[in-house]
Amino acid sequence: MKVLVAGGAGYIGSHCVRQLLAAGHEPVVLDNFVYGHRAAIPAGVRLHEANLADAAALDRLFAAEKIDVVMHFAAYCYVGESVADPLKYYQNNFAAPLALLDAMLRHGVKKFVFSSTCATFGIPEKMPMTEDLPQAPINPYGQTKLDVENMLKAFARAYGLSFAAFRYFNAAGAAEDGSIGEDHEPETHLIPLAIGAAQGLRPALQVFGTDYPTPDGTCQRDYVHVDDLSRAHIAIFDKLATPGAQFFYNLGTGTPTSVKEVIRAVEKVTGLKVPVNYAPRRAGDPPALYADSGKARRELGWTPKFATIDAIVETAWRWHKAHPQGYGDRQR
Ligand code: UDP
């Protein structure tokens, strides 16, 4: 398949580009480098530098490349920022994919894979989380992702678009060969912050809340390796052959891991101490979020290869150890 990877220079997109190459597909990257990294794109992969909302640029792209499938990773991912500046999120996470879909349909491209999120569920009423739970996001980040899911449903019915929406839990880890990894600026995610604190490159880790109703009082999340996420995106290709088909999958390992357990894994894997400060709860953090990915296992044959937090942290450590400043292309 010739696959347009929108956001292919970002964290999950860049890992997916490598998995596509490994599986014998032809990725083409579309990125505007607001958050993406040029060094994350492998040599020889064609790059189109443009905004998704740039209709003329997308027309040129779709005229030049015979794209079979479009994958969309080009979203902003900061929950707190989405509350403070919702306009930015409705523009980039809703209006931009709308413009991309518009261009796709103008050019007869009708297969789409969407990066959605467990944040579309809000504060779920049961664990582990299956696909059929009610979706009630509690911030504009989750809302814009749900809005795109709903738009895709309407487009499937009306225009024969076939699509899959993957609701990621906590994407984590890095390429096994240490070549690419996680480099957000600003960084807000637990594992890179814990590793950076252990390396002495970042301040002591703030643990947000120790009074949650969980076994050790800290929040539990479901950390899932980026390469495992990427493999699900490729496993869906056959199913997208049916016009108007639509699929939703929750992607996680199914294992709840607490903040304290992540810290212990980082200390074990790195052999370093993570300096910690205990801080109040962060607004909007549910106590526990973990997936029931049985549907993806049954229907896609998807099994996470990185099944433990130690295995995930090992790959992250390989990247951070070799790249203490990340890609080195952003001011920290
Ligand atoms: N967390 C923390 N300190 C940090 C960053 C995160 O204690 O500096 C906690 C956060 O409260 C949550 C978990 O780690 O329970 C994962 O947070 P992250 O921001 O990595 O992902 P999220 O679950 O928000 O998508």
Side-chain angles (χ1 to χ4, degrees), residues 79 118 169-170 188-193 205-209 212 218-221 223 259 282 285-287 289:
V79 168
C118 64
F169 282 65
N170 289 54
T188 61
H189 296 104
L190 178 62
I191 293 174
L193 290 180
L205 181 74
Q206 306 229 71
V207 173
F208 296 136
Y212 283 98
T218 63
C219 285
Q220 294 174 310
R221 294 289 179 273
Y223 299 88
V259 174
R282 188 173 67 176
D285 264 340
L289 294 171

Side-chain angles (χ1 to χ4, degrees), residues 111-123:
K111 293 177 187 157
F112 192 69
V113 185
F114 180 58
S115 301
S116 192
T117 167
C118 64
T120 58
F121 291 103
I123 300 175

Side-chain angles (χ1 to χ4, degrees), residues 29 53 61 70 101 123 125 130 144 156 171 175 187 194 196 240 259 287-288 305 324:
V29 169
L61 188 162
V70 175
L101 285 156
I123 300 175
E125 57 197 31
T130 44
T144 52
E187 187 55 82
L240 298 182
V259 174
K305 186 173 150 194

